[in-house]
């Protein structure tokens, strides 16, 4: 499939797909006219790349992790990617812990605001003074 079709099937812009290729995350073949052509497997590959980017991984880290998908039986690749994956998992755990702390702090503010709004809605209206 050409880049436009891959873009439509994955909801990823052609510009991003070209970037993935530049970073070595995605490969294509070229027609005689120089147009990129992707296999059907590229759809799943792009989905995985997007998921890893959405998790906060950089293209450099993704390039380190993807060989475990490409060469699953290579022990050297497995060991190298395992270390990278564990490091990223620890980073994601830390991000989650920080998000939970932030949510908890926001919950405190929401409760305080709710009490304040309730007090304001039950307070008597001020009496207007005549001039």
């Amino acid at each position: 499939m050409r880049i436009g079709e891959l873009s439509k099937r994955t909801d990823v812009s052609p510009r991003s797909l070209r970037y993935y290729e530049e970073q070595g995350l995605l490969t294509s073949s070229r027609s005689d006219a120089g147009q990129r052509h992707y296999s059907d497997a590229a759809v799943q590959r792009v989905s995985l790349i997007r998921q890893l980017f959405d998790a906060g991984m950089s293209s450099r880290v993704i390039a380190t992790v993807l060989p475990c998908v490409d060469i699953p039986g290579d022990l050297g690749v497995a060991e190298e990617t395992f270390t990278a994956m564990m490091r990223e998992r620890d980073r994601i755990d830390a991000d989650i812990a920080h998000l939970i702390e932030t949510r908890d702090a926001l919950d405190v503010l929401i409760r305080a605001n709710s009490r304040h709004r309730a007090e304001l809605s039950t307070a008597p209206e001020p009496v207007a003074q005549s001039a």
Side-chain angles (χ1 to χ4, degrees):
M1 79 188 84
R2 292 182 20 198
I3 195 167
E5 184 179 345
L6 181 59
S7 174
K8 286 178 187 171
R9 287 177 65 181
T10 60
D11 200 29
V12 173
S13 71
R15 181 178 181 201
S16 292
L17 295 172
R18 286 189 289 274
Y19 174 77
Y20 298 168
E21 277 197 65
E22 289 170 14
Q23 299 302 308
L25 308 177
L26 184 64
T27 58
S28 68
S29 59
R30 297 288 182 133
S31 69
D32 292 338
Q35 293 179 326
R36 290 174 167 88
H37 288 273
Y38 299 93
S39 69
D40 289 336
V43 173
Q44 283 184 288
R45 176 101 172 178
V46 170
S47 177
L48 175 60
I49 292 167
R50 275 291 359 128
Q51 187 175 15
L52 296 174
F53 270 123
D54 290 346
M57 291 184 187
S58 68
S59 58
R60 184 178 55 78
V61 171
I62 294 171
T64 302
V65 170
L66 283 178
C68 74
V69 175
D70 299 331
I71 318 168
D74 186 315
L75 183 59
V77 167
E79 289 298 321
E80 183 178 328
T81 57
F82 178 79
T83 301
M85 287 186 280
M86 290 304 295
R87 186 174 49 248
E88 284 303 305
R89 188 177 195 293
D90 290 345
R91 182 193 57 78
I92 290 169
D93 283 344
D95 288 350
I96 290 169
H98 177 71
L99 286 170
I100 289 170
E101 289 173 7
T102 303
R103 183 198 58 202
D104 291 348
L106 187 56
D107 284 345
V108 169
L109 293 174
I110 289 169
R111 284 191 298 275
N113 183 269
S114 294
R115 284 191 305 271
H116 180 68
R117 288 176 38 239
E119 289 169 4
L120 289 176
S121 68
T122 59
E125 292 288 323
V127 178
Q129 295 180 353
S130 58

